[in-house]
Amino acid sequence: MNAIDQTRRMLSLVTYLRERPGARIEDVARAFGITEDELVSDLDVLPMCGTSFRGGDLLDIDTDGERIWWHNPAALGADAAEPLRLAADEATALLVAARAVATLPGLRESDRQALLRATAKVETAAGEAAGASSRLSVTFESEGGVFADVDRAIAERRRLWIRYYSPARDEVTEREIDPIRLVSVGHTYVEAWCRRSEARRTFRLDRVAEIKILDEPSAPPEVELRDLSEGLVQPAAEDPEVIVEVGPGGRWVAEYYPHDSADELPDGGLRITLRTPDPASLKRLALRLGRDGRIVEPRELAESARRAAREALEAYDGAGAAG
């Protein structure tokens, strides 16, 4: 889950909880389309928010594991606290961030105008403290434009066309996808229904070479949202089994790849058994390991990896000779 999406959700969560004292955790999680663990994580953050950092002005929200209780909902009332006063550094940081977000491509125009109005009010309130912010700027990486288009497509329930680079196959493919949700697990991804493969797929935003919002409505099949608390890659029991043997220098594979077992080898290495829906994608792992590891089974994949290694070595030798 990215920061913008989480902020939107938490703002809505405050209003939702204020109107529903004693709300059940499972009901709230279902209403927001998130897991109960994600909801509890939000609840851990909300008590650190409020109209000031004085104890009485912070949100007093807690849970007994089944229900959510807000003990001081009046903390956000009109007479709850003194007007918020920003220090110079706080005003500068807020204004720079607001202006940067307002320039995001694909941002809904209503959101952009609301943000600009709020920024103008902060500038007026900050007075001289706002001067420093005009000399600073933030530039978002190109992924921001892709994120904005995906976010808009989800909000408007529209289909997307993308050109996507797959490092496992070292190729760029064109796809039409029905976006389901944005998630952040190390990188930012869009979980979607892929019309090309007729299956649910996850696409990393920084690998999207081109994106277009289509006029066709997005209509993904009803799918149960996965719990991503254990990571993005979650092999299924029916996925093909692959056995990889690594030396001491390749033990990191067991830390980065979900696996069924990792048995110690006499030389200090590991025999790792894992599952993947696309065994061919592990050829790149074998090339990366080099002398620190090899694919043992299935035999076809092991031979394919060895052949790829030989071809890479021959290409390298050929380039050296030409030089």
Side-chain angles (χ1 to χ4, degrees), residues 5 7-10 15 48 90 92 96 114 158 165 181 195 200 203 223 230 233 260 282-283 292 308 312:
D5 211 27
T7 300
R8 287 176 179 165
R9 186 179 73 212
M10 292 179 69
T15 302
M48 292 184 277
E90 294 173 328
T92 299
V96 170
R158 292 166 65 183
Y165 172 67
R181 62 171 172 169
R195 293 292 167 178
R200 176 166 53 182
F203 302 95
V223 294
E230 298 300 323
V233 180
D260 294 339
L282 294 181
K283 285 196 295 184
D292 286 326

Side-chain angles (χ1 to χ4, degrees), residues 1-16 32 42 46 101 104-112 115 147-156 182:
M1 177 66 62
N2 59 80
I4 295 176
D5 211 27
Q6 186 178 25
T7 300
R8 287 176 179 165
R9 186 179 73 212
M10 292 179 69
L11 289 172
S12 299
L13 186 59
V14 168
T15 302
Y16 186 93
F32 281 82
D42 286 351
L46 284 178
V101 171
L104 278 175
L107 186 67
R108 288 187 289 273
E109 189 59 28
S110 59
D111 291 342
R112 191 190 311 279
L115 182 58
F147 169 84
D149 282 341
V150 174
D151 183 53
R152 178 184 167 194
I154 292 174
E156 298 179 2
L182 284 157

Side-chain angles (χ1 to χ4, degrees), residues 56-103:
D57 296 329
L58 296 177
L59 305 184
D60 187 5
I61 296 176
D62 67 16
T63 174
D64 59 6
E66 294 185 2
R67 295 182 178 274
I68 304 168
W69 303 100
W70 188 346
H71 301 293
N72 65 337
L76 293 186
D79 302 323
E82 299 176 0
L84 179 62
R85 300 184 185 279
L86 296 176
D89 58 340
E90 294 173 328
T92 299
L94 182 59
L95 288 170
V96 170
R99 291 182 185 130
V101 171
T103 64

Side-chain angles (χ1 to χ4, degrees), residues 18-200:
R18 186 175 183 177
E19 297 174 352
R20 296 169 178 80
R24 296 180 63 85
I25 285 183
E26 59 179 339
D27 294 336
V28 178
R30 187 182 306 110
F32 281 82
I34 58 177
T35 67
E36 293 184 18
D37 286 342
E38 288 175 316
L39 174 59
V40 171
S41 179
D42 286 351
L43 296 178
D44 289 338
V45 175
L46 284 178
M48 292 184 277
C49 305
T51 54
S52 81
F53 290 104
R54 296 193 299 269
D57 296 329
L58 296 177
L59 305 184
D60 187 5
I61 296 176
D62 67 16
T63 174
D64 59 6
E66 294 185 2
R67 295 182 178 274
I68 304 168
W69 303 100
W70 188 346
H71 301 293
N72 65 337
L76 293 186
D79 302 323
E82 299 176 0
L84 179 62
R85 300 184 185 279
L86 296 176
D89 58 340
E90 294 173 328
T92 299
L94 182 59
L95 288 170
V96 170
R99 291 182 185 130
V101 171
T103 64
L104 278 175
L107 186 67
R108 288 187 289 273
E109 189 59 28
S110 59
D111 291 342
R112 191 190 311 279
Q113 293 303 318
L115 182 58
L116 291 175
R117 288 194 297 272
T119 302
K121 292 179 181 178
V122 174
E123 286 178 334
T124 300
E128 294 182 1
S133 68
S134 63
R135 299 189 293 272
L136 300 173
S137 65
V138 173
T139 302
F140 286 99
E141 298 179 0
S142 59
E143 180 183 310
V146 176
F147 169 84
D149 282 341
V150 174
D151 183 53
R152 178 184 167 194
I154 292 174
E156 298 179 2
R157 299 181 182 276
R158 292 166 65 183
R159 186 170 298 176
L160 288 167
W161 172 89
I162 61 173
R163 290 180 64 245
Y164 186 75
Y165 172 67
S166 174
R169 299 180 177 84
D170 192 26
E171 66 178 3
V172 176
T173 58
E174 296 184 8
R175 303 165 182 262
E176 288 190 7
I177 63 173
D178 292 339
I180 298 172
R181 62 171 172 169
L182 284 157
V183 296
S184 181
V185 185
H187 295 277
T188 306
Y189 302 80
V190 56
E191 189 173 8
W193 185 262
C194 177
R195 293 292 167 178
R196 171 175 169 161
S197 58
E198 286 299 316
R200 176 166 53 182

